[in-house]
Amino acid sequence: MSAAPGLAKPAPAAAPKREATPASPINLFRALATLASGALFGFGLSYAGMIRPEVVLSFLRFQDWGLLLVMGGAVMVVVLVYQLAPRLMARPVLDDHFHRHPSSWNRDTALGAALFGVGWGLCGVCPGPAIAGLGTGNWDLLWALGGISLGALAHGLRAR
């Protein structure tokens, strides 16, 4: 059927965009990639000895510089990947575009950083190593994770 003279032919209706459902293959792939990334991160922390609070505390007392090497190496890799990946890839593997993460310093950020530092200095762990340390049977880290959880809860309630 042809369009009447002078009238534009209506454009075909676009297919509705399908949202990924929890059971879709892309969400399963993302979940597995997240699990693999977390396992690799935990293995790296464990291999480097960073899941032992005494190692972290000796770094904070300027007695052992191993943590500085681990953190410095991780920062270098992240900076390289964040700079090079958008230039070398049209889009990320598990998303449709690269995201920018702007940050701004304000009173709440400074307070949170100070509280994190105090907690890190008191117990010698932060969230990642605390969770990885549970995998080695260090159940005392549950106290640290409890404090971390309470701090996150307090922040969430305050942010409302």
Side-chain angles (χ1 to χ4, degrees):
M1 191 179 225
S2 68
L7 294 177
K9 188 175 182 179
K17 187 174 181 181
R18 288 182 42 187
E19 294 293 323
T21 60
S24 71
I26 189 72
N27 282 343
L28 178 61
F29 185 64
R30 283 183 180 175
L32 290 174
T34 301
L35 181 64
S37 298
L40 181 62
F41 179 66
F43 175 77
L45 288 173
S46 180
Y47 185 75
M50 300 302 126
I51 61 171
R52 295 183 22 232
E54 55 274 11
V55 171
V56 175
L57 292 172
S58 64
F59 164 73
L60 294 174
R61 289 191 299 258
F62 304 109
Q63 296 171 337
D64 182 5
W65 296 101
L67 180 58
L68 181 66
L69 296 173
V70 170
M71 287 176 21
V75 167
M76 287 188 337
V77 168
V78 167
V79 166
L80 283 172
V81 169
Y82 266 67
Q83 294 300 314
L84 294 178
R87 295 177 188 171
L88 300 175
M89 300 172 64
R91 67 178 196 84
V93 176
L94 297 175
D95 205 350
D96 59 353
H97 69 285
F98 288 98
H99 297 267
R100 290 275 179 207
H101 299 282
S103 63
S104 62
W105 278 86
N106 56 31
R107 182 180 54 92
D108 291 340
T109 304
L111 179 63
L115 286 173
F116 180 87
V118 168
W120 196 35
L122 288 174
C123 65
V125 293
C126 57
I131 293 169
L134 290 176
T136 65
N138 188 352
W139 300 112
D140 289 338
L141 292 174
L142 285 172
W143 291 105
L145 284 170
I148 291 166
S149 299
L150 286 175
L153 176 65
H155 171 72
L157 293 174
R158 185 183 179 285
R160 283 186 179 180

